[in-house]
Amino acid sequence: SQQGEEDPQALSIQEGENATMNCSYKTSINNLQWYRQNSGRGLVHLILIRSNEREKHSGRLRVTLDTSKKSSSLLITASRAADTASYFCATDAFGNQFYFGTGTSLTVIP
Amino acid sequence: DTEVTQTPKHLVMGMTNKKSLKCEQHMGHRAMYWYKQKAKKPPELMFVYSYEKLSINESVPSRFSPECPNSSLLNLHLHALQPEDSALYLCASSPYSSGYGYTFGSGTRLTVV
C-alpha cells in the first residue's frame, strides 16, 4: 500500500532556480526519507529526517517535517540539469514498514 | 562493500516459465525488501524479511515466492506470471533498527510475454 501523496506531480524549472516538492503521509512514523530515481533505475537515498526533527540540511537540500500536519517538504536550491529525476518521499514506520509517496518528476532546463 | 547487487538486470520470460531474481548485500543489514515498480509509478512494497524471516507480505499473489537463504541473500521466485507483472523489481536492504537510509539495487527489468 502507499503511504503518501506528493505534489506537484511534475515540476519544470530553469537551471539555477529552486525546486520545492511536498509530501503528505497518513500514519505515525519513525522517520521520513527522500530518494531520487533517474530513468526508472535504482533509488538513491538523499536525506533522512527523524520524527523529532523539524528541519535538516545536506548540501543544496533542505528538508522540513511537520508531524502535526503529517507533511514534509524538500527544497533543492540552485538547481542543475543533473537534478532532473523523479523524487520520492518514503515513510519509515514501526516494524520495517517502508512506503513511498506518489513522486514528483523534476525537469531542470539548462 | 556498500552496494545491493541484483541479477539479472533484464529478464524476458514466458507465462509458463519459472525464473528467479537474486539480490545480494554484504553490509550486514538484517532487513531486506522486494518492491515492484510500474512505469511512472512509485515502488510498491511486496515483501519484507527481518533476520531472515518473512515479516511483511503485502498480499502478493502466490506466483511470486520470496526466499531468504541467509542474511546476505534474497531471492524472488517467479512462476506462471502474467503480462501485467511486467515491471521493474527492486531489492533494498537496511539495518534492522530504524533511523538509517535504505540501500537499493539497480533493479531487474522483467518482461512477461
Side-chain angles (χ1 to χ4, degrees), chain B residues 18-62:
Chain B
K18 285 185 181 181
K19 296 286 185 183
S20 297
L21 310 184
K22 179 180 172 180
C23 173
E24 198 163 5
Q25 57 89 13
H26 297 285
M27 296 175 281
H29 290 174
R30 301 313 297 269
M32 296 185 76
Y33 309 75
W34 281 115
Y35 286 85
K36 173 184 176 181
Q37 187 178 26
K38 303 283 272 186
K40 300 189 185 302
K41 296 289 186 183
E44 296 177 13
L45 183 62
M46 300 175 71
F47 302 106
V48 180
Y49 272 84
S50 302
Y51 287 89
E52 296 96 72
K53 294 196 185 315
L54 184 65
S55 58
I56 295 178
N57 177 343
E58 290 284 341
S59 302
V60 178
S62 59

Side-chain angles (χ1 to χ4, degrees), chain B residues 1-5 24-29 70-73 93:
Chain B
D1 189 349
T2 58
E3 288 186 344
V4 172
T5 302
E24 198 163 5
Q25 57 89 13
H26 297 285
M27 296 175 281
H29 290 174
N70 59 58
S71 61
S72 299
L73 190 56
S93 71

Side-chain angles (χ1 to χ4, degrees), chain B residues 28-113:
Chain B
H29 290 174
R30 301 313 297 269
M32 296 185 76
Y33 309 75
W34 281 115
Y35 286 85
K36 173 184 176 181
Q37 187 178 26
K38 303 283 272 186
K40 300 189 185 302
K41 296 289 186 183
E44 296 177 13
L45 183 62
M46 300 175 71
F47 302 106
V48 180
Y49 272 84
S50 302
Y51 287 89
E52 296 96 72
K53 294 196 185 315
L54 184 65
S55 58
I56 295 178
N57 177 343
E58 290 284 341
S59 302
V60 178
S62 59
R63 58 185 183 269
F64 295 91
S65 175
E67 178 196 21
C68 190
N70 59 58
S71 61
S72 299
L73 190 56
L74 184 67
N75 298 319
L76 186 63
H77 302 298
L78 314 172
H79 173 55
L81 294 193
Q82 304 296 311
E84 59 265 28
D85 296 321
S86 297
L88 180 67
Y89 288 84
L90 293 161
C91 174
S93 71
S94 73
Y96 183 74
S97 56
S98 181
Y100 299 89
Y102 288 53
T103 304
F104 280 81
S106 58
T108 294
R109 179 79 62 189
L110 174 68
T111 303
V112 181
V113 296

